Amino acid sequence: MFPFAYEWIWDIGHIIFFGLFYGILSVIFGTLTLTILKTMLDLWAGHIHEPEH
Amino acid sequence: MRRWLDDLPKYADDSSWWPKGTKRCRPEVFLIWLGLPLTLLAYFSVGAVLCLALGLNQTNMNDYFAFGVWIVVDLAVIALGAGAFFTSFLNYIVGKTELKPIVNAAVLIGFICYVGAILMLGIDIGQPIRGWFGFWHANVHSMLTEVMFCITTYAIVLTIELLPSVLDNKRISRVPEFGTFSHNLHTIMIVFAAAGTFLSFFHQGSLGGMFGVLYARPFAARGGLGIWPWTFFLFIMSAIAVGPSFTTMVVMITEKISGRKLTKHSVKMLMGKISGWLLVVYMVFKSADTLWWAYIKLPAAGLTLDSMYQAPYGFWLLWVEIGLCGWLPALMLVQEKIRASYGWMFVAMLLACIGITLNRFVFTIQSLALPVLPFEKFYSYLPSWQEWGIASLVLGFGLLVFMLAYRYLPIFPQEPELND
């Protein structure tokens, strides 16, 4: 549910619930995106991680 | 055709995919082993098709038992899978790096438990294609909304945590993009471990909290702290206590079946020690909660403890849960002598896991079995074969994923050196 949905109410329940939910999703997907970007930069710079085996 | 058959062993040779320095059974033997999970999944498919096509009348759930074996299995595997978040928390955040050799296994087991539970609940909700309604039309006053948010999000976290193990496969890691991505994921894993800890803490708690706020169900209802009933905290404590035990137990079973050592015994002993002391703490609070409930809460509501335990759910359940499968394994696991013994440690861990499964069973089934209106009586519930079929998904899916992961992924980093 997003704040523009007709069911949304600006009360403490919705703010806490969805604030934490979208907050944690942002952390997870933000970190994942940064890791992907760093991998792309590493590969462009030629910093390839060789497997240990 | 003949030539193709002659060349078949060459095509079937998958040894280049095995983790470095390990040996696995021949492909034909592995295929026979795969028959077990595939049979369970076929059983699940029959039950799922019947429930989806004909409805929940295929189950023995009714107006009294709105929760049945699926919720019992769901709550049990979510608790047993807590080894993933707690071991990751101890390894990445607390800095208990001695647990590193078992973290991959813990994450894999957690992934199996959570994804298995979510798939099974897909059938429980009746119309899986409307599963997203829970997110879009969320009831923010429900503990179950929090559970749903956290379990699904944590399943994503577990998938990300498992990804490096997949990318570290001997063949896959040769691709520079995958190898480098896996390396970078390893370096940032602490963020996912922290996110997983946060999510797990709340959904384990809310699963317990859901029972504690059932004010019309005297077996489950409890007082609490603020908006959180005591069961909120008891469920967290019990999950972090048995999670490490279940992870270690699965590793020990794998060792016995494969005939290979997978982690040093000192790592298993440490897991047992953590589990044991956490179980002691949990049992102290659980015993106090039970005494308060039996001698203060129930009499205050005009009820007695005797009325809570009736055939077939008699007092034996209480003694088995708190005594035989609660205090006994807790006291066993805190002793170094017991932990040093492979067999006794396994027995203690098995008892602990049975105890927590029983705890989830009584909270789910016994809470609903008790009469709450004057014209009701004490009911009992037995799942239908279709329900067992759907519940077997967790086992079938788990075995399939674990067998494939054990064969192809470097889940146990100590295996090569222990089997030289």
Side-chain angles (χ1 to χ4, degrees):
Chain A
M1 192 193 296
F2 293 111
F4 51 78
Y6 75 95
E7 290 165 278
W8 181 274
I9 304 164
W10 283 102
D11 63 2
I12 194 76
H14 282 75
I15 292 168
I16 290 178
F17 244 96
F18 283 95
L20 288 174
F21 179 57
Y22 289 126
I24 201 84
L25 279 181
S26 305
V27 169
I28 293 165
F29 287 107
T31 310
L32 196 61
T33 308
L34 283 176
T35 312
I36 292 169
L37 285 174
K38 184 173 185 310
T39 304
M40 288 167 71
L41 290 172
D42 284 349
L43 290 168
W44 279 331
H47 298 148
I48 296 168
H49 183 76
E50 297 291 336
E52 291 165 8
H53 33 73
Chain B
M1 181 71 180
R2 175 79 186 268
R3 192 173 165 187
W4 186 83
L5 281 173
D6 287 343
D7 286 346
L8 192 58
K10 193 176 76 186
Y11 296 129
D13 180 21
D14 60 350
S15 57
S16 62
W17 291 83
W18 300 349
K20 186 193 171 195
T22 62
K23 282 196 176 120
R24 298 290 182 255
C25 62
R26 294 194 310 276
E28 57 270 31
V29 178
F30 183 61
L31 276 178
I32 295 169
W33 272 105
L34 282 181
L36 179 63
L38 293 177
T39 306
L40 287 167
L41 289 174
Y43 180 27
F44 156 76
S45 305
V46 174
V49 166
L50 285 171
C51 284
L52 291 176
L54 304 176
L56 293 179
N57 60 0
Q58 296 297 298
T59 72
N60 282 346
M61 290 189 284
N62 50 40
D63 288 346
Y64 287 98
F65 291 99
F67 287 165
V69 68
W70 298 337
I71 297 297
V72 176
V73 173
D74 173 58
L75 297 187
V77 297
I78 293 290
L80 297 173
F85 98 83
F86 198 62
T87 315
S88 296
F89 168 74
L90 290 175
N91 180 52
Y92 293 108
I93 297 169
V94 176
K96 204 93 180 146
T97 48
E98 303 98 298
L99 295 174
K100 197 174 170 62
I102 209 163
V103 164
N104 288 347
V107 168
L108 174 65
I109 293 162
F111 172 82
I112 288 168
C113 289
Y114 277 78
V115 175
I118 290 170
L119 290 174
M120 192 179 60
L121 290 178
I123 308 297
D124 197 2
I125 60 174
Q127 294 206 34
I129 53 169
R130 294 187 183 174
W132 59 275
F133 277 29
F135 293 98
W136 193 253
H137 307 287
N139 172 9
V140 296
H141 304 291
S142 167
M143 292 266 186
L144 282 179
T145 302
E146 188 186 337
V147 170
M148 190 193 66
F149 279 21
C150 289
I151 286 183
T152 44
T153 313
Y154 185 48
I156 296 169
V157 171
L158 281 169
T159 308
I160 295 169
E161 285 187 327
L162 189 62
L163 201 54
S165 294
V166 177
L167 298 176
D168 283 347
N169 169 276
K170 206 157 72 181
R171 293 278 292 267
I172 296 174
S173 64
R174 284 183 201 162
V175 180
E177 287 80 0
F178 292 154
T180 310
F181 181 50
S182 170
H183 173 73
N184 286 335
L185 265 180
H186 275 298
T187 59
I188 201 78
M189 201 49 80
I190 189 170
V191 177
F192 297 111
T197 304
F198 173 82
L199 291 165
S200 293
F201 182 86
F202 278 101
H203 74 245
Q204 297 284 1
S206 289
L207 280 172
M210 173 189 73
F211 290 112
V213 297
L214 293 177
Y215 301 116
R217 297 282 172 186
F219 188 87
R222 296 289 194 276
L225 189 68
I227 60 166
W228 297 287
W230 298 126
T231 46
F232 181 95
F233 305 102
L234 288 172
F235 268 50
I236 296 170
M237 281 190 267
S238 59
I240 60 174
V242 296
S245 271
F246 184 67
T247 300
T248 315
M249 231 175 68
V250 172
V251 173
M252 290 166 105
I253 293 170
T254 314
E255 283 185 330
K256 286 294 165 197
I257 291 175
S258 65
R260 295 177 68 80
K261 285 181 183 169
L262 302 176
T263 58
K264 288 179 181 167
H265 193 65
S266 58
V267 177
K268 296 187 201 89
M269 280 178 72
L270 180 58
M271 291 287 273
K273 187 179 177 181
I274 292 166
S275 200
W277 282 111
L278 288 170
L279 207 52
V280 167
V281 173
Y282 165 64
M283 286 316 301
V284 168
F285 283 99
K286 173 70 186 170
S287 302
D289 171 74
T290 306
L291 288 171
W292 175 81
W293 170 69
Y295 291 106
I296 296 173
K297 172 90 176 155
L298 287 177
L303 297 163
T304 63
L305 188 63
D306 288 344
S307 64
M308 297 291 114
Y309 292 92
Q310 296 174 40
Y313 312 125
F315 271 112
W316 67 273
L317 271 170
L318 183 67
W319 297 123
V320 172
E321 184 204 334
I322 294 186
L324 182 67
C325 298
W327 275 111
L328 181 64
L331 296 175
M332 283 172 79
L333 283 171
V334 292
Q335 293 182 55
E336 198 171 347
K337 261 190 210 169
I338 298 281
R339 295 198 305 272
S341 157
Y342 200 93
W344 282 116
M345 187 164 74
F346 183 85
V347 169
M349 289 174 163
L350 181 64
L351 286 176
C353 293
I354 293 172
I356 258 39
T357 306
L358 259 183
N359 174 264
R360 286 1 184 206
F361 168 82
V362 295
F363 264 105
T364 308
I365 301 299
Q366 200 155 349
S367 297
L368 300 175
L370 286 165
V372 290
L373 293 168
F375 52 84
E376 287 181 349
K377 58 177 185 170
F378 201 95
Y379 289 97
S380 64
Y381 155 85
L382 268 179
S384 67
W385 67 267
Q386 294 93 327
E387 283 177 274
W388 280 120
I390 287 159
S392 70
L393 165 75
V394 179
L395 190 58
F397 170 76
L399 282 172
L400 182 67
V401 173
F402 196 86
M403 285 163 78
L404 289 169
Y406 172 70
R407 191 170 179 83
Y408 297 116
L409 306 182
I411 299 294
F412 300 103
Q414 288 182 332
E415 188 188 353
E417 63 165 296
L418 290 175
N419 295 279
D420 270 346

